[in-house]
């Protein structure tokens, strides 16, 4: 398990989280396997940006389905690509970068307009 980031005070304030600032975000072998198997193109293209996405997101939000913290970065290549990193808490209370994948531009812009994603 490797530390790849931490939850900042700004994310805590924006999302009204009950977490201590500086709480580490980890990445384990099983998380990497999940990303590679579920979204191989996205991981190959943006996996090396994982730490940057966590440290400098453009948007953050809470996923209403699984309560994960969403870190979203807009990459301006060919078409705009929104890359989302989902951070979930484990049963042991540790936070892990669980998923990394691209999202449809139109859908992401709708989430931003509706306030599901907040500007970081």
């Amino acid at each position: 398990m490797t530390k790849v980031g931490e939850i900042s005070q700004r994310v805590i304030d924006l999302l009204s989280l009950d977490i201590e600032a500086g709480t580490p975000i980890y990445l384990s072998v099983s998380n990497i396997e999940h990303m590679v198997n579920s979204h191989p193109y996205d991981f190959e293209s943006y996996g090396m940006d994982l730490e940057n996405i966590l440290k400098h997101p453009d948007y953050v939000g809470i996923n209403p389905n699984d309560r994960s913290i969403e870190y979203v970065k807009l990459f301006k290549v060919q078409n705009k690509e929104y890359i989302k990193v989902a951070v979930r808490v484990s049963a042991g209370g540790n936070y892990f970068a669980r998923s990394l994948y691209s999202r449809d531009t139109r859908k992401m812009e709708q989430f931003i307009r509706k306030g599901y994603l907040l500007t970081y």
Side-chain angles (χ1 to χ4, degrees), residues 1-108:
M1 152 164 101
T2 304
K3 181 181 171 186
V4 291
E6 55 185 46
I7 300 172
S8 70
Q9 187 63 54
R10 178 140 172 83
V11 169
I12 292 166
D13 293 343
L14 282 169
L15 303 178
S16 301
L17 300 174
D18 187 20
I19 302 171
E20 217 174 287
T23 295
I25 300 170
Y26 297 106
L27 184 67
S28 70
V29 171
S30 65
N31 301 130
I32 295 170
E33 288 172 355
H34 173 77
M35 292 176 197
V36 169
N37 292 330
S38 299
H39 308 281
Y41 169 79
D42 296 329
F43 186 77
E44 183 180 321
S45 299
Y46 298 103
M48 72 292 238
D49 294 305
L50 177 68
E51 291 183 39
N52 181 48
I53 295 168
L54 293 172
K55 190 170 186 173
H56 303 289
D58 293 315
Y59 303 96
V60 293
I62 297 289
N63 184 310
N65 297 324
D66 63 13
R67 304 296 302 156
S68 62
I69 303 169
E70 298 180 335
Y71 290 79
V72 178
K73 186 89 174 156
L74 175 60
F75 287 87
K76 295 180 181 171
V77 293
Q78 296 174 348
N79 298 327
K80 294 187 280 187
E81 287 197 294
Y82 287 90
I83 304 302
K84 179 177 118 173
V85 175
V87 174
R88 295 190 192 140
V89 65
S90 69
N94 291 315
Y95 287 80
F96 287 91
R98 178 73 179 131
S99 300
L100 180 147
Y101 53 93
S102 63
R103 293 300 310 254
D104 176 69
T105 298
R106 214 175 53 195
K107 182 174 267 195
M108 293 306 282

